Each structure stands twice: as C-alpha cells, then as structure tokens.
C-alpha cells in the first residue's frame, strides 16, 4: 500500500515537473516510462535532474489517510462485514454510529460471527422449557465460553439483534457431554446446537472507576454500567442424552 | 424481561406535569412514541398520571412486587423511549453486582471431580 502511494505521489510530482520549464541540460530524456522504474531509482532521478525545488505547490496530500484505502476497497466490496467499515469510519467520524441501520444479511452475518442465530419470538404454544436432562455443552458466545446444561441461565454481553422472549440457536459448540459419552470438537462440533431463550436485556450494577494520583491534584470519578443479556438454556442437541440402563455387572 | 415466557413488567405509570418545562420531553413522548409502545406491548398496562408541580417520572411495577422509578426530567422523547424499553426489558430483580455469570442448579453431569476419584 505504501509502495503504491509512494509511486502515485512521485508520478504526480513528475507530471508537475514535466509541465514546468525544465533546465536545458538534462542527462536523460524526459519521456521516461515510470512503470519500469523502482521508486528508489525514480526518486534519485528526480533529485539528480533538479536542484532545490519548491515542492509546496505540488503536494496534494489526501486529507485522510484512509481515503486512499477507502477508494481502493470500495470498488470491490458490496456489503462486507461491519468490522472493515468500522475501521475506515472511526478515524473520520466523531459521532459513533449508534443509530446504524443493519440490513438483514448484515445482522445475520454479525450474529453468526458472535456465535448465535435468532430463530424468532417465543410463542405461547411452544413448550420449550423442559425438565433437566443430564447433558452439558461448552458453548462460545463472542469471546466467552460457558459450560451449560438444560435450565441454566447465562449472562453475556448485550446481544444486539435479538429482543426479549426470542429463541436463539448457539452454534459455536466446542464440547458435548452426557453421562456416558463425550464429544470433543476440533475446534467446533459440527451439527451441534444449543437452544436458548432471551430472558432479559438489563444493565449491571454501577461500578465507580476512581483514578487518583497522589500529591498531583489529579482525581477522576467515572461511573459505568455494563449492558448484559440473560439467556436461559433450553435444549442441547447433538448428543444422546438417554441414560442407558446398565447391564448386570 | 420474560421469566420462562411470562413478562415481568406488569404496569408502567407515566407521571408528568402539564405546566412544568421539565415535562416537555415526556409530553412529546406521550404524543409520539407512547401509542406505538403500547401497541407493541399488549401485555403491559400503561397508565398516564398527572402530577402537577413535580418532575416527570416512569414507574415500573414488576411481578415480584418490585418498583423501579426513573426520573425523566429534561429528557428528549427518544431518551424517554429508551428508558421505557429498558424497564420493559428488565426483570424485577434488585440491581446488584453479579456473583457469577453462570447460574445453574446442576453443576455436574458426569460427577464432580475430586482427588480421590479413580477412572
């Protein structure tokens, strides 16, 4: 990227130079194909042809470093995942995109990235809350992993694309276990799913972040409430849960 | 906020004043966002109450008889909508620091490990 930008700037300089009145004595002809030269040769060429030059007119730096990258990337991408667009916008924008509208595909892609899939709202007719079954799974949501079983509740970071009383499928399952069998994933178990229901979206208790440097007259107090989602695990699929009747020993 | 499928917020009382300037936002909220909020939450009983000379608030009554009051003085209608949604999304439990992020009644499936266990 820097290599390309270097050449770009230098080619612009060269174009500006060629339009100027160049001194009569030149060691090389001015019509030089730029592509054949490496940037080092090019730079040395320019410095050898001219003495001290006033570059101030011909410096067209882009206002944002990301503009160059943005222009190049925009040609290819359609609707990439939000991570790349965040990097491009963060430096330019001062306001975070709180009211950002996600398309359905973006939502699903981001949700799948974190490790869950929204099935839909819970209806009254669904009988999802079953009795406890002796099976567990190690599931990953975002960057945290939990060992879950039927009927457990889990507090995760706020899951963005689901409402309260929604059914979810957590698809990043790393380990499944029952009373007589364990299935270890490498790193994930394919075709395993953990069903969960969103119970609440709430704020954690306030933590006070207090900073002080003694004898330096520096004291700061900040309050922080983390946004959490409580999930109730409802079903684990991908392993046989039946307790086998032990044969007579 | 739904514990095993049942919504926990039973009643939302929207208290406002018709004269005070701090109630401007909530008066606008009652015109703009409240009907939509009511429609999307049919299980919720929303009551508007006139309290003259006092700052506006949102009071939420939960199934476990817990009451949460949020003062909404000098807020914009969008912020008030956010607070109302937060009340609806929460369970009525007391806001305390979490002990653990994983609450379970059956911690072990294959048996708890101990140093004396032989495989």
């Amino acid at each position: 990227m820097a290599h390309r930008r270097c050449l770009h700037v230098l080619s612009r300089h060269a174009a500006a130079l060629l339009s100027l009145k160049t001194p009569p004595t030149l060691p090389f002809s001015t019509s030089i194909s730029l592509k054949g030269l490496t940037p080092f040769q090019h730079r040395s060429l320019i410095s050898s042809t001219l003495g001290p030059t006033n570059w101030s007119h011909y410096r067209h730096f882009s206002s944002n470093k990301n503009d160059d990258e943005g222009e190049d990337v925009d040609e290819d991408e359609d609707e990439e995942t939000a991570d790349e667009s965040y990097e491009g916008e963060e430096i330019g924008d001062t306001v975070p995109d709180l009211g950002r509208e996600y398309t359905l595909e973006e939502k699903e892609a981001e949700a799948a990235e974190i490790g869950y899939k929204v099935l839909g709202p819970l209806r009254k007719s669904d009988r999802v809350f079953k009795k406890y079954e002796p099976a567990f799974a190690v599931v990953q949501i975002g960057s945290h992993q939990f060992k879950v079983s039927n009927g457990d509740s889990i507090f995760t970071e706020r899951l963005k694309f689901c409402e309260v009383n929604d059914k979810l499928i957590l698809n990043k399952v790393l380990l499944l276990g029952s009373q007589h069998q364990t299935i270890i994933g490498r790193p994930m178990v394919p075709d395993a799913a953990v069903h969960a229901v969103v119970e609440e979206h709430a704020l954690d208790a306030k933590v006070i972040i207090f900073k002080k440097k003694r004898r330096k007259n520096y004291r700061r107090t900040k309050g922080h409430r983390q946004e959490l989602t409580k999930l109730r695990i409802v079903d684990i699929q991908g392993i046989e849960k039946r307790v086998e009747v032990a044969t007579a020993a | 906020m739904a514990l095993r499928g049942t919504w926990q917020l039973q009643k939302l009382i929207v208290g406002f004043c018709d004269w005070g300037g701090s109630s401007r936002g909530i008066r606008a909220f009652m015109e703009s966002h409240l009907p939509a909020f009511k429609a999307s939450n049919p299980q919720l009983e929303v009551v508007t109450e006139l309290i003259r000379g006092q700052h506006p608030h949102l009071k939420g009554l939960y199934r476990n008889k817990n009451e949460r009051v949020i003062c909404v003085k000098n807020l914009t209608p969008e912020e008030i909508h956010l607070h109302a949604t937060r009340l609806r999304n929460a369970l009525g439990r007391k806001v305390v620091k979490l002990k653990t992020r994983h609450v379970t009644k059956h911690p072990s499936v294959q048996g708890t490990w101990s140093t004396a266990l032989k495989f």
Side-chain angles (χ1 to χ4, degrees):
Chain A
M1 207 38 92
H3 185 85
R4 211 194 299 169
R5 228 188 289 133
C6 226
L7 260 180
H8 202 43
V9 167
L10 287 169
S11 59
R12 263 191 268 141
H13 284 160
L17 280 173
L18 294 173
S19 64
L20 270 184
K21 286 179 194 170
T22 51
T25 54
L26 272 177
F28 313 97
S29 65
T30 46
S31 56
I32 307 161
S33 69
L34 301 169
K35 281 189 186 165
L37 288 175
T38 61
F40 180 64
Q41 286 175 352
H42 201 163
R43 217 178 292 139
S44 61
L45 170 71
I46 290 180
S47 56
S48 62
T49 51
L50 308 161
T53 346
N54 192 9
W55 293 108
S56 56
H57 300 298
Y58 312 108
R59 287 198 163 175
H60 305 290
F61 291 122
S62 56
S63 51
N64 242 351
K65 247 194 192 172
N66 293 317
D67 276 348
D68 271 336
E69 296 169 14
E71 279 156 16
D72 293 326
V73 177
D74 272 339
E75 291 158 6
D76 307 327
E77 70 172 319
D78 281 335
E79 294 264 90
E80 297 263 28
T81 59
D83 299 311
E84 289 171 73
S85 48
Y86 276 170
E87 279 165 42
E89 286 165 11
E90 243 176 321
I91 302 171
D93 290 352
T94 43
V95 178
D97 38 12
L98 290 170
R100 181 194 153 121
E101 294 289 321
Y102 289 86
T103 64
L104 205 65
E105 297 85 24
E106 272 181 343
K107 279 189 197 180
E108 284 176 3
E110 275 222 49
E113 173 102 17
I114 296 171
Y116 69 99
K117 186 179 156 191
V118 185
L119 274 185
L122 189 71
R123 277 173 287 272
K124 267 214 146 99
S125 52
D126 294 336
R127 294 269 162 260
V128 274
F129 299 105
K130 299 189 280 208
K131 265 187 74 171
Y132 168 70
E133 285 156 353
F136 70 91
V138 172
V139 88
Q140 176 166 359
I141 298 182
S143 64
H144 308 282
Q145 296 177 0
F146 302 93
K147 176 195 151 297
V148 293
S149 184
N150 189 16
D152 292 353
S153 23
I154 279 187
F155 288 93
T156 65
E157 305 299 323
R158 163 80 61 105
L159 299 174
K160 224 163 161 173
F161 307 114
C162 54
E163 305 288 329
V164 181
N165 245 358
D166 267 359
K167 285 188 283 196
L168 297 182
I169 288 188
L170 309 169
N171 18 37
K172 283 193 189 171
V173 177
L174 297 102
L175 192 113
L176 285 165
S178 74
Q179 289 210 317
H180 302 279
Q181 193 189 19
T182 317
I183 303 176
I184 304 177
R186 291 180 188 204
M188 235 81 78
V189 179
D191 306 322
V194 173
H195 293 262
V197 171
V198 180
E199 273 206 352
E200 71 168 332
H201 285 308
L203 294 172
D204 204 1
K206 185 183 272 195
V207 265
I208 311 265
I209 297 145
F210 180 67
K211 301 186 189 178
K212 181 186 166 111
K213 287 201 205 278
R214 55 185 181 177
R215 300 182 293 273
K216 305 299 170 202
N217 208 18
Y218 171 76
R219 185 166 67 169
R220 300 279 180 270
T221 310
K222 189 172 179 179
H224 177 71
R225 295 193 75 178
Q226 186 69 9
E227 293 189 343
L228 300 174
T229 300
K230 185 174 180 191
L231 299 175
R232 169 86 53 181
I233 306 297
V234 151
D235 190 25
I236 297 177
Q237 281 171 4
I239 192 167
E240 287 247 344
K241 298 168 216 168
R242 297 291 130 238
V243 179
E244 288 137 25
V245 177
T247 53
Chain B
M1 48 106 237
L3 204 57
R4 299 189 144 251
T6 18
W7 290 95
Q8 292 294 303
L9 184 65
Q10 285 177 311
K11 195 171 173 188
L12 182 67
I13 301 171
V14 178
F16 72 105
C17 172
D18 53 349
W19 176 82
S22 54
S23 291
R24 204 164 25 173
I26 201 162
R27 273 178 264 144
F29 167 76
M30 276 165 34
E31 259 118 63
S32 55
H33 295 185
L34 196 58
F37 188 76
K38 272 189 187 172
S40 58
N41 298 295
Q43 78 284 347
L44 184 56
E45 185 193 334
V46 181
V47 174
T48 47
E49 209 180 317
L50 179 69
I51 27 161
R52 296 208 90 223
Q54 287 168 43
H55 288 301
H57 60 255
L58 291 172
K59 229 189 244 190
L61 287 159
Y62 290 91
R63 230 175 241 256
N64 56 359
K65 312 285 184 284
N66 195 16
E67 193 180 295
R68 271 177 70 170
V69 183
I70 301 183
C71 177
V72 292
K73 77 172 187 190
N74 293 323
L75 291 183
T76 60
E78 286 76 27
E79 290 170 351
I80 297 174
H81 182 70
L82 172 70
H83 282 297
T85 316
R86 275 206 188 133
L87 278 178
R88 180 202 57 126
N89 281 345
L91 298 175
R93 62 189 177 94
K94 193 171 169 189
V95 181
V96 284
K97 189 177 156 204
L98 286 177
K99 291 276 165 57
T100 71
R101 283 207 171 187
H102 177 211
V103 178
T104 173
K105 283 198 180 142
H106 306 270
S108 173
V109 169
Q110 297 174 350
T112 322
W113 182 85
S114 69
T115 47
L117 189 65
K118 295 269 182 283
F119 284 114

